[in-house]
Amino acid sequence: MRLKNIAVMVSGGGTNLQALIDAIKKGEINAKICCVISSKAGVYSLERARNNDIPSIVIEKKEFLSEQDYDTKLLNTLSEFNADFIVLAGFLSILSKKVVSQYKNKILNIHPSLIPSFCGKGHYGIKVHEAALAYGAKVTGATVHFVDEGMDTGPIVFQEATEVLPGDTPEILQQRVMKIEHRLLPKAVSLLVDDMLYVDGRNVVIKNSL
Ligand code: GRF
């Protein structure tokens, strides 16, 4: 059987992309990254792809006349690289119903909070941590979830919490949460590519623990 292909979609620095690259190198994920798709030009994720001989492409929504044209480009790219799975690793755009339905239960996203807190519209990047601090949350964390048609609404695979400590700034909190992200995402991706995740409604079950 051929090695499964993962398309990683990014918009920024790509520390989560790096965590996936490192996990693959260590043999912790039984798959290869077939391409990195960035929603923005010039981001450091593209450099990481280059440094690791991973093909990359920039697909910016604003360059397309319609959502349909954008989707066509995205889906053609995914099929050109034979992508079996998609991982959104700091990807700041929303995938359309069309893309999501073609990759049903095959797309994972990492979000830097305990969903359903501090997620959805406007909650991305440092803003998530600003919101957690402004709310006075005592715990926050990271969530890996399947992507459905909504924003941060798909079935949850893993969550891990960390305390919000006195003196935390959004940046300090972000760093602490990112350490969790870099562990949780490769773990979830490894199970996904090995076909070990079973989605039962909102519930994600790890197959060998059935
Ligand atoms: C991460 O916190 C991720 O959860 C969020 O955006 C950030 C991206 O970081 N969606 P990086 O590009 O992986 O370094």
Side-chain angles (χ1 to χ4, degrees):
M1 215 172 62
R2 79 165 165 83
L3 206 53
K4 289 286 177 354
N5 280 327
I6 309 168
V8 182
M9 300 186 66
V10 297
S11 303
T15 60
N16 280 290
L17 166 65
Q18 191 65 53
L20 293 172
I21 293 170
D22 295 345
I24 289 172
K25 279 189 189 156
K26 283 192 244 162
E28 292 168 0
I29 298 174
N30 199 12
K32 96 174 213 263
I33 299 177
C34 58
C35 63
V36 167
I37 301 176
S38 177
S39 68
K40 276 189 208 159
V43 295
Y44 193 65
S45 286
L46 294 165
E47 193 71 32
R48 294 184 197 271
R50 256 191 303 278
N51 292 342
N52 290 279
D53 296 320
I54 300 167
S56 64
I57 178 167
V58 176
I59 307 180
E60 290 181 291
K61 223 180 211 169
K62 64 174 198 285
E63 302 296 327
F64 295 85
L65 290 177
S66 66
E67 179 95 15
Q68 284 92 318
D69 289 355
Y70 170 73
D71 281 353
T72 304
K73 174 69 181 171
L74 206 54
L75 287 169
N76 286 346
T77 305
L78 291 164
S79 90
E80 189 187 314
F81 286 103
N82 284 313
D84 300 297
F85 301 98
I86 304 173
V87 177
L88 308 184
F91 180 66
L92 296 182
S93 215
I94 301 296
L95 295 178
S96 70
K97 277 192 180 136
K98 190 173 173 192
V99 176
V100 171
S101 67
Q102 291 219 18
Y103 283 84
K104 192 169 165 52
N105 294 340
K106 289 183 173 173
I107 313 175
L108 290 179
N109 181 43
I110 177 86
H111 185 77
S113 76
L114 296 174
I115 289 175
S117 289
F118 313 118
C119 62
K121 203 169 164 38
H123 287 105
Y124 59 88
I126 198 74
K127 287 178 195 285
V128 178
H129 307 290
E130 286 167 357
L133 286 171
Y135 199 86
K138 298 297 179 231
V139 288
T140 185
T143 303
V144 182
H145 64 93
F146 278 103
V147 173
D148 64 7
E149 288 78 13
M151 204 189 259
D152 299 331
T153 51
I156 291 170
V157 181
F158 288 128
Q159 290 188 301
E160 193 179 311
T162 182
E163 267 186 87
V164 178
L165 300 173
D168 272 354
T169 61
E171 291 73 20
I172 292 171
L173 200 51
Q174 182 179 47
Q175 288 309 313
R176 197 173 320 121
V177 170
M178 270 190 160
K179 284 202 182 122
I180 300 175
E181 295 181 42
H182 299 161
R183 247 182 312 107
L184 284 199
L185 185 61
K187 201 165 121 188
V189 171
S190 162
L191 291 169
L192 179 71
V193 300
D194 285 347
D195 194 28
M196 296 293 279
L197 297 178
Y198 172 68
V199 185
D200 179 17
R202 285 219 52 88
N203 205 23
V204 179
V205 184
I206 300 176
K207 279 187 184 169
N208 66 354
S209 64
L210 275 176

